[in-house]
């Protein structure tokens, strides 16, 4: 993924301002910055929810500007949402299976006739969804209504659903928000295991311990501008970053 001067304005407000970014395969990159910095808007640009006002974003060498969200999912970008978006009245398993639909081959007629091929594919989908729930540690909760699960588990279902799209790039928007410290450690371990499986991850997260502990590189946004980029140790020491978080004068 590569962004070149990616910009998104809402009326007079420039939420993302000429941001350059690239992510290499297999990396876990952190995207941090104070509230309102433009992090989620940047995700929305990458996933086609918003179109860039100017600049461009390329994925696997292809511009994604005019692509619809489902086309981008098919291209290989999966995501979770800052505000959890699970389907109500569906089980954890069903929610994960929804993620697989952009990879299925069955056409409508086949689905209506429930041909052998369709039945086989559905069984494979189910098996794979169970495997993903196992991977995030929720196998024993697969038949529970997803939205009635504890908050931390709902976030894990979202991660499993995003993985079900078989993403080449996985975007996680504050996956540990609202979690207690034990759950945060689990989430950190889960992201580590996701990387070890060969996935590429762009992670928005406020918990500095988690971000610093897991990211290969970190980018910092403030008021839509990229103010720093580097290794975790460099970011921790950066004067600009400390000022962005604490305000000028707070860096002393
Ligand atoms: N759909 C929208 N319409 C108008 N302003 C928006 C919209 N989405 C985000 N913004 C504004 O863009 C800025 C960046 O927001 P956001 O990307 O959600 O920040 P972050 O995720 O870093 O907290 C904020 O000032 C926010 O109010
Ligand atoms: Mg956000």
């Amino acid at each position: 993924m590569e962004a070149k001067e990616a910009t998104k304005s809402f009326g007079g407000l420039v939420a993302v301002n000429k941001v350059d970014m690239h992510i290499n395969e297999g990396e876990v990159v952190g995207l941090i910055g104070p509230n309102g910095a433009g992090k989620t808007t940047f995700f929305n640009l990458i996933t086609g929810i918003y179109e860039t006002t100017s600049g461009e974003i390329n994925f696997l060498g292809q511009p994604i500007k005019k692509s619809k969200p489902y086309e981008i999912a098919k291209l290989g970008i999966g995501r979770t949402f800052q505000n959890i978006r699970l389907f109500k009245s569906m089980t954890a398993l069903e929610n994960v299976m929804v993620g697989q639909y952009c990879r299925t081959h069955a056409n409508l007629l086949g689905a209506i006739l429930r041909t052998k091929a369709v039945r086989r594919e559905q069984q494979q989908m189910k098996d794979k969804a169970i495997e993903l729930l196992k991977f995030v540690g929720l196998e024993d909760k697969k038949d529970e209504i997803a939205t009635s699960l504890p908050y931390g588990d709902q976030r894990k279902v979202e991660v499993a659903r995003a993985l079900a799209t078989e993403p080449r790039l996985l975007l996680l928007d504050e996956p540990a928000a609202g979690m207690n410290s034990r759950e945060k450690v689990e989430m950190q371990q889960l992201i580590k295991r996701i990387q070890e499986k060969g996935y590429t991850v762009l992670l928005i997260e406020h918990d500095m311990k988690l971000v610093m502990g897991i990211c290969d590189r970190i980018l910092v946004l403030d008021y839509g501008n990229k103010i720093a980029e580097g290794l975790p140790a460099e970011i921790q020491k950066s004067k600009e970053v400390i000022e962005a978080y604490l305000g000028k004068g707070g860096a002393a």
Side-chain angles (χ1 to χ4, degrees):
M1 202 278 306
E2 186 183 32
K4 287 186 209 157
E5 301 200 348
T7 300
K8 174 65 189 174
S9 308
F10 297 108
L13 176 89
V14 187
V16 174
N17 191 16
K18 295 189 178 169
V19 170
D20 290 319
M21 163 186 307
H22 71 278
I23 302 172
N24 303 316
E25 233 171 306
E27 275 189 312
V28 174
V29 177
L31 183 60
I32 67 171
N35 278 324
K39 304 180 297 295
T40 296
T41 302
F42 191 73
F43 270 21
N44 288 335
L45 291 176
I46 302 177
T47 51
I49 292 178
Y50 300 141
E51 207 177 293
T52 45
T53 309
S54 65
E56 58 182 85
I57 297 175
N58 297 309
F59 180 64
L60 304 174
Q62 233 179 298
I64 59 172
K65 189 177 171 76
K66 293 284 177 201
S67 306
K68 302 254 174 343
Y70 74 89
E71 293 170 328
I72 290 169
K74 201 159 180 150
L75 268 180
I77 300 181
R79 77 176 288 180
T80 65
F81 294 91
Q82 183 174 351
N83 310 307
I84 296 172
R85 292 194 194 174
L86 292 171
F87 293 102
K88 293 187 179 68
S89 80
M90 279 168 109
T91 64
L93 182 67
E94 287 161 349
N95 265 281
V96 176
M97 288 178 73
V98 168
Q100 297 171 320
Y101 274 98
C102 75
R103 299 278 169 233
T104 56
H105 306 290
N107 58 26
L108 186 60
L109 186 64
I112 291 167
L113 298 175
R114 286 190 54 83
T115 60
K116 215 169 171 182
V118 168
R119 283 202 305 272
R120 194 184 322 117
E121 189 172 44
Q122 282 179 342
Q123 188 56 49
Q124 283 168 352
M125 282 171 66
K126 196 172 167 187
D127 293 345
K128 203 186 130 196
I130 291 171
E131 209 168 284
L132 285 169
L133 282 172
K134 202 173 181 176
F135 180 70
V136 301
L138 288 179
E139 194 195 13
D140 54 339
K141 297 187 179 169
K142 67 178 169 42
D143 296 322
E144 290 186 36
I145 296 297
T147 49
S148 67
L149 291 172
Y151 205 62
D153 287 348
Q154 292 192 37
R155 292 215 177 267
K156 291 180 195 166
V157 175
E158 277 224 332
V159 172
R161 185 176 61 185
L163 289 173
T165 67
E166 297 176 12
R168 298 280 299 270
L169 171 64
L170 177 64
L171 309 177
L172 302 175
D173 197 344
E174 300 196 27
M179 288 187 165
N180 62 38
S181 50
R182 182 185 51 80
E183 290 173 317
K184 280 183 181 176
V185 170
E186 281 174 16
M187 181 52 73
Q188 182 171 340
Q189 288 165 346
L190 176 58
I191 297 168
K192 195 78 214 158
R193 284 191 288 128
I194 288 170
Q195 182 181 32
E196 283 162 6
K197 275 203 157 196
Y199 289 99
T200 306
V201 179
L202 181 58
L203 167 71
I204 297 176
E205 182 50 55
H206 280 298
D207 187 89
M208 283 306 130
K209 206 169 141 218
L210 198 160
V211 169
M212 296 297 165
I214 204 169
C215 293
D216 300 309
R217 264 189 314 130
I218 295 172
L219 280 89
V220 189
L221 291 184
D222 189 29
Y223 293 110
N225 299 298
K226 185 173 83 177
I227 60 164
E229 179 172 11
L231 302 172
E234 295 167 343
I235 295 300
Q236 257 168 328
K237 284 185 291 194
S238 159
K239 189 162 157 280
E240 288 81 10
V241 176
I242 294 165
E243 276 181 3
Y245 276 95
L246 302 178
K248 279 198 197 298

